[in-house]
Amino acid sequence: MSWWLRHGDHKSAVAPSLLAADFADLRGDIAAMEAAGADLLHLDVMDGHFVPNLTFGPVVCTAIRRCSDLPLDAHLMISRPDRYLEPFAAAGVDAVTIHVEADSEIAPTLARIEQLGLKKGLSLNPDTALAAVAPYLHELDLVLVMAVQPGFGGQTFDPLTIDKVACLNEMRRQQEHRYAISVDGGIDANTAPAVLKAGADILVSGTYFCRAPDRAAAARSLRL
Ligand code: DX5
Ligand code: ZN
């Protein structure tokens, strides 16, 4: 079974973005997310420089690790991810996803992520063309397609994302790559079906999933 799936009978995964979690009760909220069917946890790390918002870093990731055995994907929205890989590895995350638009050199940063024994993810913003990530696709475990400008939860899904996902799916098939395709931003019951049909494997959801009155039903609505 793929590393990002928890249930063998599911084709795609639901990854709650903890940005919309209850930070006063992370342990309880994460347990509720697991019970509702979360497959992995998406950790939005922001530096106030790469994006105009600040969130949390390795200390909180360490605490999250102690609350859950689910795979953790650290989505690093920071200008210099190369400077912080060791602390995130020490925090016990399973995957580190960097941005192709960041100021670090991409190839050596990915190589270091692999050396640290972690899954390698690469993310691209809505206005970044797939050509920017193409040179790295053969070695990636995860491609994180942003459907909103990174920085904040609760934004509107950009429908141009669907074409990008379809292209990534086709390139993966043709070139026999192994990466999972994940989509982040504005995912809900209305936007999920087209994204899944285009070939996405992991749907990240902050606002919709975390604020849903019935999270188990919300998780089901994010699967094909
Ligand atoms: C945006 C983050 C997303 C965000 C998703 O910068 O990368 O993970 O939290 O939140 P929603 O699902 O509310 O768009
Ligand atoms: Zn994210």
Side-chain angles (χ1 to χ4, degrees):
M1 196 164 64
S2 311
W3 63 272
W4 38 267
L5 267 187
R6 202 171 127 213
H7 306 278
D9 48 339
H10 290 161
K11 289 199 197 76
S12 67
V14 174
S17 158
L18 296 196
L19 202 53
D22 177 0
F23 276 82
D25 179 20
L26 265 183
R27 186 183 292 277
D29 211 18
I30 287 171
M33 291 178 193
E34 288 190 17
D39 295 275
L40 65 160
L41 298 176
H42 181 89
L43 312 183
D44 285 308
V45 175
M46 306 188 191
D47 67 353
H49 186 260
F50 183 74
V51 288
N53 195 8
L54 281 167
T55 55
F56 54 82
V59 171
V60 172
C61 294
T62 304
I64 292 167
R65 176 76 291 163
R66 291 173 53 210
C67 296
S68 177
D69 292 326
L70 292 183
L72 305 179
D73 179 24
H75 175 197
L76 301 189
M77 289 163 274
I78 67 179
S79 295
R80 290 295 303 265
D82 57 318
R83 291 181 178 163
Y84 300 94
L85 300 176
E86 285 76 10
F88 283 103
V93 304
D94 300 274
V96 166
T97 297
I98 63 168
H99 265 266
V100 72
E101 303 88 357
D103 294 332
S104 303
E105 279 186 75
I106 301 302
T109 307
L110 291 173
R112 183 68 187 137
I113 295 171
E114 181 172 334
Q115 269 178 8
L116 290 165
L118 305 175
K119 303 283 183 199
K120 294 180 288 186
L122 190 59
S123 184
L124 71 165
N125 286 340
D127 44 13
T128 300
L130 279 183
V133 298
Y136 312 103
L137 290 177
H138 64 281
E139 58 165 314
L140 295 176
D141 299 293
L142 179 77
V143 180
L144 182 68
V145 183
M146 293 307 299
V148 300
Q149 291 297 336
F152 299 92
Q155 303 182 76
T156 305
F157 178 86
D158 178 347
L160 294 177
T161 309
I162 293 161
D163 262 3
K164 262 188 190 168
V165 171
C167 275
L168 279 167
N169 192 31
E170 185 56 20
M171 286 156 88
R172 175 170 62 179
R173 194 185 63 75
Q174 280 179 7
Q175 296 163 33
E176 296 180 9
H177 294 323
R178 69 169 188 279
Y179 53 80
I181 302 172
S182 182
V183 178
D184 186 7
I187 293 291
D188 61 22
N190 295 318
T191 55
V195 177
L196 291 168
K197 277 190 202 113
D201 307 293
I202 304 170
L203 296 195
V204 176
S205 176
T207 312
Y208 172 71
F209 175 81
C210 294
R211 306 273 153 84
D214 181 348
R215 284 177 174 171
R220 282 194 296 276
S221 76
L222 299 181
R223 294 195 172 99
L224 268 186

